[in-house]
């Protein structure tokens, strides 16, 4: 019928679907890893033409406008993964796309490909969880691995915005201090770290000016309030505590806000000459007397406080903090230990207490710091030179706290930098060569040839995940002993650069951040080795660490070979894979690459999510649009 939308059914191996997959794969891969690119989105119509610059997967997934049902399915599952685990969103999307693309290229029944893919990745997840996994790094609250986890997570998101290593180290240290400072002796089920660690942004200051304060901090500009706190002209009880009353309603005298507090009989019994405003003001001043009588030393209000009420309270030594906003009111209520007041009545007044109220200065701004004692709350004042960077860093800091909290229930991590992926790739290759139990083959309804082909394809996918971290033309190798990956910058042997190569490499930053520059067309790269002779089989490599930073070349046993990591774009034949550099010469000095660790649970769940997506799509075989 006219006006009805017709459904279109497309095979997943059709040209249109393959093109969509490739475009999506390229989009994600260019933004994957610490040296990937940020993405610039135009905001939806009606936002005044504002654009959004981001590197976070959750924001990227939200802003993408995708029409294809296949990509929507991938995005939906990856978005759910990020919402649950706060990390590895791009990893799961990129791996799923590689598995689908690779699975479609195998000349085997797609159902078998999907079954073997799901089976093997479930084995990988079990293996990563097991104590026999060589990649698994146990964690403890006192171990240095926690700072490595925090640093790795932040650097993978912030390097794209020009945040340097020193700034990442500073921010990582602050976040870990915050996490450990609110850690209770015994963690109960209802305890939430994000609710006890607060983040406030402050634009216009360098990132290294960020600081951590104990308690809840809110920005203030009232000069009288600043002077009152500086002189500590605040009423306290006999124990030296400050009794507090916090309201989440307006105290400005708005009749609609205060109406529930004024008895209806009181309104009807008043002569007509008495205005409603006078009754409301009388109620507010009565509240001031009640607060003073009960020894309250601080009044907090989410909205505005009437000037007369404010003046009456200040005369009695009560600190008045207004305009706390919905952003801070719950935090202030929590740190005081009292419930928020929604009615202005003396009968139902809920009070809390603070141990101290002080000031903290960041740049030219001042922050009021409220501390309830016991180290239960702290605030990270996150400085940033621009609003754009502040908008990007604030959710990253909150996610970091959630990930650290999550790690308490799964005290393990994995090597970062692609090393875990190359180890899994080696595992897949070994499984493909090993004999397979007949019962497994019957359960999978698969023959040995198809089984080996699928595992070989999965091996290439995980190797490609490691090489996808290299965005500047460097070469990624794996060692034949630990199977970690090693990144070598392009043009390591600088003596044979052609003029075109010099032009292309005029300025280049390698995977580890070393700058290579040329003056007057002459290469001055700091090369650690010379180009080998054509007939020589001995290669002297620079002493460097693997991509996760846990190994140096000097740690490798004698006879260890370095081989090319297989990428999805250039797949080497087995004879080329086995080609080795013999008699590896190793220097004992190291480049000092920081150790990189990935949070354990999000990594395992991302692999499971990618496997489920790929298996589902390969089994269905078509999509409806």
């Amino acid at each position: 019928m006219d006006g009805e939308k017709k459904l279109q059914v497309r095979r997943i191996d059709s040209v249109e679907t393959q093109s969509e997959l490739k475009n999506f794969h390229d989009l994600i891969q260019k933004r994957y890893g610490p040296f990937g690119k940020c993405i610039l989105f135009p905001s939806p119509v009606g936002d005044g033409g504002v654009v959004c610059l981001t590197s976070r997967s959750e924001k990227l997934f939200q802003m993408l406008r995708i029409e294809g049902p296949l990509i929507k399915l991938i995005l939906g599952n990856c978005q759910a993964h990020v919402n649950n685990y706060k990390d590895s969103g791009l990893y799961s999307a990129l791996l799923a796309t590689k598995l689908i693309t690779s699975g479609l290229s195998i000349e085997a029944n797609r159902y078998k490909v999907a079954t073997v893919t799901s089976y093997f990745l479930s084995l990988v997840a079990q293996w990563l969880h097991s104590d026999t996994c060589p990649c698994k790094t146990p964690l403890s609250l006192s171990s240095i691995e926690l700072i490595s986890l925090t640093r790795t997570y932040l650097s993978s998101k912030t390097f794209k915005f020009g945040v340097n290593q020193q700034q990442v180290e500073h921010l990582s240290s602050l976040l870990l201090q915050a996490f450990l400072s609110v850690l209770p002796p015994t963690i109960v089920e209802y305890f939430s770290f994000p609710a006890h660690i607060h983040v406030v942004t402050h634009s216009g200051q360098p990132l290294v000016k960020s600081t951590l304060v104990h308690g809840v901090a809110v920005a203030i500009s009232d000069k009288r309030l600043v002077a009152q706190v500086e002189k500590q002209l605040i009423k306290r009880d006999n124990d030296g505590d400050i009794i507090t009353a916090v309201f989440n309603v307006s105290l400005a005298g708005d009749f609609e806000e205060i109406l529930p507090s004024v008895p209806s009989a009181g309104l009807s019994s008043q002569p007509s000459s008495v205005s409603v405003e006078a009754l409301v003001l009388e109620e507010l001043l009565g509240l001031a007397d009640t607060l003073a009588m009960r020894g309250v030393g601080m009044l907090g209000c989410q909205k505005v406080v009437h000037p007369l009420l404010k003046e009456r309270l200040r005369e009695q030594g009560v600190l008045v903090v207004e305009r706390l906003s919905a952003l801070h009111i719950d935090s202030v209520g929590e740190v005081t230990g009292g419930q928020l007041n929604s009615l202005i009545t003396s009968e139902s007044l809920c009070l809390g207490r603070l141990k101290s109220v002080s000031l903290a200065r960041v740049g030219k701004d001042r922050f009021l710091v409220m501390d309830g004692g016991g180290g239960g709350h702290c605030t990270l004042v996150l400085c940033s030179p621009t609003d754009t960077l502040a908008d990007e860093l604030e959710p990253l800091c909150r996610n970091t706290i959630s990930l650290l909290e999550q790690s308490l229930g799964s005290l393990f991590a994995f090597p970062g930098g692609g090393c875990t992926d190359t180890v899994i790739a080696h595992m897949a290759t070994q499984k493909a060569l090993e004999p397979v139990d007949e019962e497994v083959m019957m359960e999978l309804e698969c023959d040995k040839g198809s089984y080996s082909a699928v595992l070989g394809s999965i091996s290439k996918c995980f190797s490609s995940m490691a090489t996808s971290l290299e965005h500047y033309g460097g070469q990624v190798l794996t060692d034949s002993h630990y199977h970690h990956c090693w990144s070598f910058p392009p043009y390591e042997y600088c003596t044979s650069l052609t003029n075109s190569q010099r032009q292309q490499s005029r300025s280049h930053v390698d995977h580890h951040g070393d700058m290579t520059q040329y003056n007057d067309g002459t290469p001055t790269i700091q090369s650690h080795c010379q180009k080998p002779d054509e007939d020589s089989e001995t290669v002297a490599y620079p002493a460097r660490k693997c991509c996760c930073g846990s190994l140096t070349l000097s740690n490798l046993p004698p006879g260890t070979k370095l081989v090319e990591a297989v990428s999805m774009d250039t797949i080497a034949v087995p004879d080329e894979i086995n080609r080795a550099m013999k008699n590896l010469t190793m220097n004992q000095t190291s480049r000092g690459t920081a150790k990189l660790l990935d949070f354990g649970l999000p990594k395992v769940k991302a692999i499971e999510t990618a496997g489920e997506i790929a298996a589902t799509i390969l089994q269905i075989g078509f999509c409806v649009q």
Side-chain angles (χ1 to χ4, degrees):
M1 295 177 62
D2 295 339
E4 290 186 355
K5 186 177 180 180
K6 295 182 179 180
L7 295 178
Q8 296 181 356
V9 179
R10 288 195 325 216
R11 292 173 58 89
I12 61 172
D13 58 356
S14 65
V15 176
E16 295 85 354
T17 305
Q18 293 277 38
S19 177
E20 287 179 1
L21 275 173
K22 185 182 184 305
N23 292 336
F24 180 70
H25 172 273
D26 293 344
L27 174 72
I28 298 299
Q29 181 161 285
K30 288 177 182 177
R31 282 143 191 88
Y32 177 59
F35 299 102
K37 298 176 176 62
C38 295
I39 189 167
L40 191 66
F41 284 107
S43 294
V45 178
D47 280 4
V50 179
V51 295
C52 170
L53 184 67
T54 186
S55 65
R56 295 183 293 117
S57 59
E58 57 265 43
K59 193 65 175 289
L60 190 152
F61 293 157
Q62 290 173 3
M63 299 293 290
L64 278 178
R65 299 293 181 261
I66 300 294
E67 296 297 331
L70 191 65
I71 308 303
K72 282 184 177 180
L73 177 62
I74 297 173
L75 282 178
N77 282 273
C78 294
Q79 182 67 62
H81 168 81
V82 174
N83 292 340
N84 289 330
Y85 301 104
K86 308 300 181 186
D87 193 16
S88 302
L90 292 182
Y91 179 91
S92 60
L94 186 58
L95 180 58
T97 309
K98 289 180 183 295
L99 289 171
I100 296 167
T101 304
S102 180
L104 291 173
S105 66
I106 300 174
E107 294 183 0
N109 183 284
R110 286 214 191 92
Y111 177 80
K112 295 179 181 179
V113 175
T115 304
V116 175
T117 299
S118 180
Y119 167 76
F120 177 73
L121 292 183
S122 66
L123 288 182
V124 170
Q126 293 173 17
W127 179 67
L128 291 174
H129 273 296
S130 70
D131 295 332
T132 59
C133 176
C135 294
K136 196 172 181 180
T137 302
L139 300 175
S140 65
L141 293 180
S142 59
S143 69
I144 197 172
E145 278 80 9
L146 283 178
I147 191 68
S148 296
L149 276 170
T150 308
R151 182 201 304 121
T152 303
Y153 177 75
L154 290 176
S155 62
S156 68
K157 316 294 182 185
T158 58
F159 277 3
K160 305 167 189 178
F161 278 84
V163 178
N164 60 38
Q165 191 65 39
Q166 178 189 4
Q167 294 167 332
V168 169
E169 292 283 353
H170 178 67
L171 188 56
S172 301
S173 176
L174 291 179
L175 286 169
L176 192 55
Q177 288 178 45
F179 178 76
L180 295 176
S181 68
V182 303
L183 186 66
T186 303
I187 299 177
V188 292
E189 185 177 351
Y190 57 82
F191 186 85
S192 171
F193 281 87
H196 289 75
I197 301 174
H198 315 282
V199 181
V200 295
T201 57
H202 179 66
S203 298
Q205 292 290 325
L207 184 57
V208 292
K209 294 292 185 180
S210 300
T211 187
L212 185 69
V213 295
H214 295 287
V216 174
V218 295
I220 57 172
S221 57
D222 190 332
K223 294 182 179 180
R224 292 185 63 182
L225 178 61
V226 171
Q228 188 176 0
V229 177
E230 284 179 339
K231 298 176 183 179
Q232 288 294 302
L233 301 177
I234 308 170
K235 183 188 296 185
R236 297 176 181 266
D237 64 7
N238 295 333
D239 297 326
D241 294 344
I242 302 171
I243 300 176
T244 62
V246 184
F247 290 84
N248 59 1
V249 294
S250 173
L251 297 179
D254 300 325
F255 183 70
E256 295 80 5
E257 294 272 4
I258 202 172
L259 180 61
S261 305
V262 181
S264 57
L267 288 174
S268 59
S269 61
Q270 297 296 330
S272 57
S273 59
V274 179
S275 66
V276 174
E277 288 79 6
L279 289 175
V280 171
L281 182 59
E282 181 182 347
E283 189 73 17
L284 289 175
L285 295 179
L287 172 65
D289 296 336
T290 301
L291 294 175
M293 182 179 63
R294 299 187 63 172
V296 171
M298 191 196 87
L299 170 73
C301 183
Q302 178 178 338
K303 300 181 181 179
V304 181
V305 179
H306 194 284
L308 291 180
L309 174 60
K310 191 188 305 183
E311 192 64 32
R312 174 76 66 91
L313 291 171
R314 281 175 174 170
E315 290 174 355
Q316 301 182 47
V318 178
L319 188 71
V320 180
V321 186
E322 59 181 343
R323 301 179 188 273
L324 287 173
S325 79
L327 184 64
H328 299 296
I329 191 66
D330 290 331
S331 302
V332 174
E334 288 173 6
V335 76
T336 61
Q339 295 181 353
L340 300 178
N341 293 283
S342 301
L343 295 176
I344 308 174
T345 58
S346 57
E347 294 80 9
S348 60
L349 196 61
C350 297
L351 304 179
R353 60 181 59 240
L354 294 171
K355 287 293 182 182
S356 67
V357 175
S358 59
L359 292 176
R361 181 189 293 268
V362 179
K364 296 181 180 180
D365 293 342
R366 291 182 176 88
F367 290 84
L368 182 71
V369 182
M370 294 160 278
D371 188 6
H377 291 262
C378 65
T379 301
L380 172 65
V381 182
L382 181 62
C383 296
S384 170
T386 63
D387 291 335
T388 300
L389 185 57
D391 293 340
E392 191 75 5
L393 288 177
E394 183 181 0
L396 287 179
C397 290
R398 298 186 191 279
N399 284 351
T400 303
I401 296 301
S402 297
L403 285 165
L404 288 170
E405 179 183 20
Q406 190 181 95
S407 67
L408 294 178
S410 54
L411 289 171
F412 64 94
F414 297 112
C419 288
T420 300
D421 298 312
T422 51
V423 172
I424 295 174
H426 172 73
M427 175 188 175
T429 302
Q430 290 299 109
K431 287 287 185 183
L433 298 175
E434 293 174 358
V436 188
D437 192 284
E438 290 297 330
E439 293 183 2
V440 174
M441 289 289 96
M442 291 179 62
E443 181 182 345
L444 297 176
E445 298 179 0
C446 182
D447 57 90
K448 173 62 176 173
S450 299
Y451 180 82
S452 298
V454 174
L455 292 192
S457 172
I458 293 174
S459 175
K460 294 171 186 176
C461 290
F462 277 99
S463 291
S464 179
M465 291 300 296
T467 59
S468 295
L469 291 167
E470 180 56 67
H471 291 274
Y472 295 100
Q475 186 180 22
V476 179
L477 307 177
T478 60
D479 66 87
S480 60
H481 185 80
Y482 296 105
H483 312 291
H484 281 219
C485 61
W486 307 72
S487 176
F488 292 85
Y491 312 121
E492 188 76 40
Y493 310 117
C494 64
T495 57
S496 63
L497 285 178
T498 63
N499 289 333
S500 61
Q501 288 172 333
R502 291 176 187 172
Q503 185 67 28
Q504 293 172 2
S505 306
R506 191 67 66 169
S507 178
H508 168 73
V509 181
D510 74 4
H511 185 71
H512 301 285
D514 295 336
M515 179 65 75
T516 303
Q517 295 178 337
Y518 298 89
N519 299 318
D520 302 325
T522 304
T524 59
I525 182 172
Q526 296 180 351
S527 178
H528 301 272
C529 61
Q530 298 296 322
K531 181 188 175 185
D533 296 333
E534 295 295 331
D535 299 329
S536 173
E537 291 184 334
T538 301
V539 179
Y541 276 103
R544 66 177 71 236
K545 293 187 176 183
C546 67
C547 292
C548 74
S550 62
L551 299 172
T552 61
L553 286 176
S554 58
N555 298 138
L556 299 179
T560 302
K561 302 173 183 178
L562 292 182
V563 299
E564 292 178 342
V566 181
S567 70
M568 292 291 288
D569 301 321
T570 307
I571 300 176
V573 299
D575 289 341
E576 291 175 328
I577 296 176
N578 293 326
R579 175 168 48 87
M581 315 328 184
K582 296 181 181 178
N583 303 321
L584 182 65
T585 301
M586 295 166 287
N587 192 322
Q588 295 298 322
T589 60
S590 125
R591 296 187 64 191
T593 305
K595 188 174 182 180
L596 301 180
L597 285 176
D598 290 333
F599 285 97
L601 188 61
K603 182 85 171 185
V604 176
K605 294 299 182 181
I607 293 174
E608 291 180 345
T609 298
E612 291 169 0
I613 295 171
T616 301
I617 290 175
L618 290 171
Q619 283 179 344
I620 293 173
F622 64 90
C623 55
V624 179
Q625 185 173 12

